Amino acid sequence: MLKKLFCVIIVFAVVCSLTGCGFLRREKEIDPKRSPHRYVDKVLQDMEDYLKEGDAENLHKLIAKGSRATVEEVQGLLDFIDGEIVSFDKESLQPNGGTVKYGEYLKYAYGGRFNISTSNGKEYECHFAGYVVNDEKPEKVGLEYIAIVINNNGSINGYGAGLGFNEKGQPLDFGGNVTDW
């Protein structure tokens, strides 16, 4: 009896190791200092998921801790989108520079934009920027700027809703000027 049980356990372990059973495999967290590109891809996917779900709380968690953005302000950003999001079209994502020491990033910034289409035919662009790693100013890690702008047949008319903050925590408009949103 004991031999049969032992054989079943061995066979089960071998099958799971060959097929990659989920309960034996823990999803590894992405180390932003070693894989900032993969980390940005995950942030982008999370951002799209939270926008589509209208999830202000989780979208707020992606924002840099040093910003003064509130969940209510993030909800206002989501409320600006008219209709249910039906698709995303990734336009551009680019690193804005990085500092590496001994194979680990000490500083890595990114920015980009993507298009959003809604159920009632409206088109928007989402612009964003932030840091994956910033050892000098860890409070800046996360999204420092996110804006949703109406896309008017390929022409951005400057009307939108956004959250952006300077180093003093003051809100910025689309031109980078201090505003009182």
Side-chain angles (χ1 to χ4, degrees):
M1 176 70 177
L2 191 57
K3 282 184 179 182
K4 285 183 182 180
L5 179 62
F6 183 71
C7 286
V8 168
I9 291 172
I10 294 293
V11 169
F12 182 73
V14 169
V15 169
C16 282
S17 68
L18 293 175
T19 62
C21 288
F23 72 90
L24 292 179
R25 176 187 52 192
R26 284 190 353 208
E27 188 174 314
K28 287 181 148 182
E29 279 206 29
I30 300 168
D31 182 357
K33 289 188 169 234
R34 293 194 174 270
S35 303
H37 302 306
R38 287 185 53 216
Y39 191 84
V40 171
D41 287 342
K42 182 181 179 337
V43 168
L44 183 59
Q45 184 61 56
D46 288 347
M47 190 173 14
E48 288 178 357
D49 291 346
Y50 301 149
L51 285 168
K52 190 167 189 165
E53 296 165 7
D55 188 343
E57 287 190 30
N58 279 319
L59 187 57
H60 180 261
K61 291 177 184 176
L62 296 179
I63 294 175
K65 303 294 183 238
S67 91
R68 296 183 327 170
T70 64
V71 174
E72 291 76 22
E73 289 170 322
V74 174
Q75 186 62 55
L77 183 71
L78 294 173
D79 291 343
F80 178 73
I81 300 171
D82 185 19
E84 186 177 317
I85 295 174
V86 294
S87 70
F88 296 97
D89 179 26
K90 293 178 186 166
E91 283 290 319
S92 68
L93 177 65
Q94 64 184 59
N96 293 335
T99 306
V100 182
K101 185 175 183 181
Y102 304 119
E104 288 191 347
Y105 283 84
L106 303 177
K107 188 175 190 180
Y108 188 90
Y110 63 94
R113 67 181 173 86
F114 55 86
N115 295 334
I116 299 171
S117 299
T118 63
S119 57
N120 54 5
K122 296 217 175 172
E123 299 285 328
Y124 299 87
E125 278 192 14
C126 178
H127 297 257
F128 57 92
Y131 285 93
V132 173
V133 177
N134 190 333
D135 282 0
E136 292 174 7
K137 297 182 181 179
E139 71 278 3
K140 294 176 75 71
V141 171
L143 288 171
E144 286 207 306
Y145 179 81
I146 181 170
I148 307 290
V149 184
I150 292 176
N151 185 338
N152 190 9
N153 295 324
S155 159
I156 301 301
N157 63 11
Y159 176 64
L163 297 171
F165 299 87
N166 65 14
E167 291 191 13
K168 296 179 183 175
Q170 298 168 307
L172 304 174
D173 65 13
F174 297 114
N177 305 309
V178 175
T179 184
D180 45 326
W181 279 344

